[in-house]
Amino acid sequence: MMEAIKNVKVHLLVLALVVGSEFIGILGFNVGPGKLVLLPMLYAVFIGTFLGPKFLKVVNDKDMLNASSLVSLTLMLLMARYGTLVGPKFFEILKAGPALILQEFGNIGTLLIGIPLAMFIGLKRESIGAAHSIAREPNVALIGEVYGLDSAEGRGVMGVYICGTVFGTIFFGLTASFLSILGIFHPYALAMASGVGSASMMTATVGSLSAIYPDMAENIQAFGVASNTLSGLDGVYMSMLIALPMSNKLYSLLYRLKFGKTQEA
C-alpha cells in the first residue's frame, strides 16, 4: 500500500483521467421514449483500459498492481459518502425490506445461466469459479479458500474478476440506461438490482439512473447503497451455503449429459 501511495505516476494519470472525463461531462442520447446516459466514470474506465501494457503501454504491470491496491482505499471514501445518503432515507428503505433481502436470491441466476454457457464454449471446472457469483473480492477469497487460486476454479473466478473490474462499470452503467428506456422496471427496482456487491458497478448504475431521473436521485442512491451493503453482508454466505453447492451439482449434471460419464477428478 505504501509503495502504491508513493507512485506519483499513478496519481498523475488518475488526476488526468478524472479531469479529462469530467471535462467531457455527462452525455445523453435520446433512444426511443427514453434516454441513454454516458457518465464520466465510463470514459475513465474505457480510456484507462487502453493505457495498459496490452495497448498503449503508458502504464506497466507494477503501476497496475499499485493502482489496484488503492481501489479499496478510494472506495472507503465513496462508501462513507454514500453512508450519509442512507440515513435520511432509512424508513423509506425499511418499507422495501423484504425486497432488498430476497433480491440476493437473484444472484443465483449467474450460475443457472453462466455454467451452461461456460461449458458450451469449452470450459470445465473453471465454470464453477467463473459463474457461481459475480466474482468480486469476497467470492475470490471463498474460491481461494475452498479450491486455491491456482486451481481450475481459481482461474475461472479470477478471469471473471478481472473482466468485471475492466468492463463491469461500463456494462452496468449502459445496462441501467437501456433498461430505463424500456420502462418495464421502476427506477428503485433498478437501483436495488445494482447492489450486487461491487461499489463501482453500483455507482455506475446509480449515476446513470440519477441522471435520467433527477427528481428521484436521492432515493435511487439510497436504495442502491442499501442493496449493495446487504449484498456485501450476506453475499458470501449465499455463495458458500447455496450458490457454490448448486454450482457443483449443476456442473456434475451437465458434465454427464455432455460427456456421458462422471466428471473428471
Side-chain angles (χ1 to χ4, degrees):
M1 178 67 76
M2 289 304 301
E3 181 182 358
I5 293 175
K6 295 177 181 178
N7 191 327
V8 179
K9 176 184 176 182
V10 169
H11 295 301
L12 291 177
L13 282 173
V14 169
L15 179 61
L17 285 174
V18 170
V19 172
S21 299
E22 290 293 338
F23 181 77
I24 297 172
I26 298 174
L27 298 179
F29 304 93
N30 292 322
V31 180
K35 188 176 184 180
L36 174 63
V37 176
L38 302 181
L39 298 172
M41 173 182 282
L42 301 181
Y43 318 146
V45 172
F46 187 76
I47 297 170
T49 300
F50 285 93
L51 297 180
K54 296 294 184 181
F55 296 98
L56 299 179
K57 300 181 180 180
V58 176
V59 297
N60 53 38
D61 291 334
K62 179 182 178 182
D63 295 328
M64 293 175 64
L65 182 63
N66 288 160
S68 65
S69 66
L70 292 173
V71 170
S72 58
L73 178 63
T74 55
L75 289 180
M76 287 174 60
L77 301 176
L78 175 65
M79 296 313 295
R81 167 70 180 98
Y82 277 143
T84 63
L85 300 172
V86 175
K89 304 294 179 181
F90 176 76
F91 291 104
E92 292 183 43
I93 294 172
L94 197 61
K95 294 177 183 177
L100 283 171
I101 295 173
L102 293 174
Q103 63 100 24
E104 188 62 35
F105 285 93
N107 291 342
I108 295 176
T110 59
L111 70 93
L112 296 178
I113 298 173
I115 290 180
L117 286 176
M119 294 187 68
F120 176 77
I121 63 175
L123 297 182
K124 290 188 177 179
R125 291 198 63 84
E126 292 88 352
S127 61
I128 295 176
H132 83 285
S133 67
I134 64 162
R136 303 324 297 158
E137 286 83 354
N139 308 109
V140 172
L142 175 62
I143 293 297
E145 181 68 23
V146 176
Y147 300 104
L149 292 181
D150 57 345
S151 64
E153 294 85 354
R155 292 192 296 273
V157 75
M158 285 306 300
V160 174
Y161 175 78
I162 293 170
C163 288
T165 300
V166 176
F167 302 111
T169 52
I170 298 175
F171 177 83
F172 268 61
L174 294 179
T175 301
S177 296
F178 280 121
L179 289 177
S180 68
I181 290 171
L182 298 177
I184 300 174
F185 303 104
H186 193 281
Y188 296 166
L190 293 175
M192 283 191 284
S194 72
V196 294
S198 168
S200 59
M201 295 178 189
M202 181 272 296
T203 300
T205 305
V206 164
S208 295
L209 294 173
S210 297
I212 296 169
Y213 305 102
D215 54 325
M216 302 181 185
E218 289 190 3
N219 284 347
I220 287 172
Q221 293 168 7
F223 276 109
V225 173
S227 174
N228 202 63
T229 301
L230 285 175
S231 292
L233 292 173
D234 63 15
V236 66
Y237 297 104
M238 180 68 70
S239 295
M240 180 172 59
L241 301 177
I242 298 178
L244 197 54
M246 283 185 63
S247 296
N248 279 290
K249 292 289 185 182
L250 180 58
Y251 174 78
S252 298
L253 173 62
L254 294 176
Y255 192 92
R256 285 197 299 271
L257 291 175
K258 183 175 182 179
F259 298 103
K261 59 181 180 179
T262 305
Q263 61 176 303
E264 74 280 11

